[in-house]
Amino acid sequence: LGCLLVGVEFAKTLSLIHNKPLIAVNHIAGHIYANNLIKSITFPSLGLIVSGGHTELILMKNDYDFEVLGSTLDDAIGECYDKIARIIGLKYPGGPNVDKFAKKGEHTYDLPIPMNDESLNFSYSGLKSYIINLVHNEKQHGNEINPYDLACSFQNVAIDELIRKSKLAIEKYNIKNMIVAGGVSANSYLRDELQKLCNQKNVHLSIPPIKYCTDNAAMIAAAAFPLYKANTFADYSLNAQSQDSLF
């Protein structure tokens, strides 16, 4: 929260000194509107939000019009990536490092499919717990874990469920446009598999360039722009919120 407080106070100061409007922006909205930095979002769009704190499928019918179709019941996929990375001895941030290791490995570990149903919800706590127990049991028996194969096995199972649920949403809601948002959208396997799915379903896919997938200032400006056009401004009582939900 401390970092947010510094940012908000600095923004208030700039607003006051230069007589500019003050705009409150939600962090996840920033990730969503990073898609606008290359080409404007076409509505309606299916949104897949994947980050350290979020795993949601949403329907956007217009700017800042979010309908949640499904969400994680426990851990977000980004959080799961970080924990799996730590389990197999990789440094933070876990997502990029697991992705790199997965490219060097093979899918040799038989892992459970998370939330294997016909809903649009997700669950990653069971997959995480299974891998923790697997690594612990192998070490107890003096067996070496192959980190490359485990990273590959985990990534395939975790991402494939995102793809499967996205396909369900595309078919159920007759989707023609799809956007992806959040730090996990930088994952190479996710990007490749989503493009294959959208090509198959004749859906236009928008994923921000890698430099706009992780936290950046440009995405916050992009999310502020629709609010600016709508004259949705904040006053100087604005305060930082570390757990403010967009949905």
Side-chain angles (χ1 to χ4, degrees):
L1 183 62
C3 298
L4 298 178
L5 289 169
V6 171
V8 169
E9 292 308 310
F10 188 68
K12 287 181 182 180
T13 303
L14 288 177
S15 172
L16 181 63
I17 292 174
H18 296 286
N19 193 30
K20 298 295 183 182
L22 182 65
I23 302 174
V25 174
N26 182 287
H27 178 78
I28 291 300
H31 282 299
I32 291 170
Y33 281 95
N35 286 275
N36 267 352
L37 292 170
I38 302 301
K39 186 178 180 181
S40 296
I41 298 171
T42 302
F43 301 113
S45 275
L46 174 69
L48 175 64
I49 317 301
V50 279
S51 69
H54 290 265
T55 310
E56 281 105 8
L57 281 165
I58 65 169
L59 185 62
M60 285 185 70
K61 297 180 181 178
N62 213 324
D63 279 321
Y64 280 89
D65 181 356
F66 308 114
E67 178 187 350
V68 178
L69 307 179
S71 62
T72 181
L73 304 182
D74 39 63
D75 294 348
I77 189 168
E79 177 190 357
C80 197
Y81 259 93
D82 288 336
K83 289 180 178 176
I84 298 306
R86 189 161 63 246
I87 291 166
I88 59 180
L90 301 180
K91 294 180 179 179
Y92 182 88
N97 291 319
V98 171
D99 193 16
K100 290 176 184 176
F101 266 52
K103 292 176 182 178
K104 300 177 182 179
E106 297 181 359
H107 191 153
T108 60
Y109 290 95
D110 186 17
L111 303 178
I113 299 174
M115 203 72 186
N116 188 18
D117 61 12
E118 297 305 302
S119 78
L120 297 180
N121 293 320
F122 303 92
S123 172
Y124 285 101
S125 63
L127 177 60
K128 177 193 68 179
S129 298
Y130 186 93
I131 294 175
I132 291 173
N133 290 331
L134 171 67
V135 172
H136 175 74
N137 290 335
E138 290 299 300
K139 287 182 177 179
Q140 289 288 96
H141 289 89
N143 299 324
E144 288 290 329
I145 288 287
N146 185 317
Y148 300 103
D149 287 354
L150 186 56
C152 180
S153 302
F154 160 72
Q155 177 157 282
N156 285 1
V157 170
I159 296 297
D160 285 354
E161 192 61 9
L162 293 179
I163 303 301
R164 192 177 73 83
K165 292 296 176 87
S166 295
K167 181 181 179 182
L168 288 175
I170 288 171
E171 294 172 347
K172 182 175 181 179
Y173 292 92
N174 192 28
I175 297 297
K176 299 301 179 185
N177 302 286
M178 183 174 184
I179 63 170
V180 189
V184 182
S185 63
N187 182 275
S188 63
Y189 183 63
L190 173 62
R191 296 168 82 94
D192 290 345
E193 293 302 304
L194 271 179
Q195 190 62 68
K196 291 177 187 176
L197 171 64
C198 289
N199 289 344
Q200 174 192 350
K201 293 295 181 179
N202 197 27
V203 171
H204 176 263
L205 176 65
S206 173
I207 309 180
I210 298 294
K211 65 180 179 180
Y212 297 136
C213 289
T214 52
D215 295 350
N216 64 89
M219 73 181 197
I220 299 302
F225 188 53
L227 299 176
Y228 174 81
K229 291 192 295 183
N231 292 320
T232 304
F233 304 140
D235 58 35
Y236 293 122
S237 67
L238 176 67
N239 202 0
Q241 299 181 48
S242 62
Q243 299 295 328
D244 189 26
S245 176
L246 180 63
F247 310 123

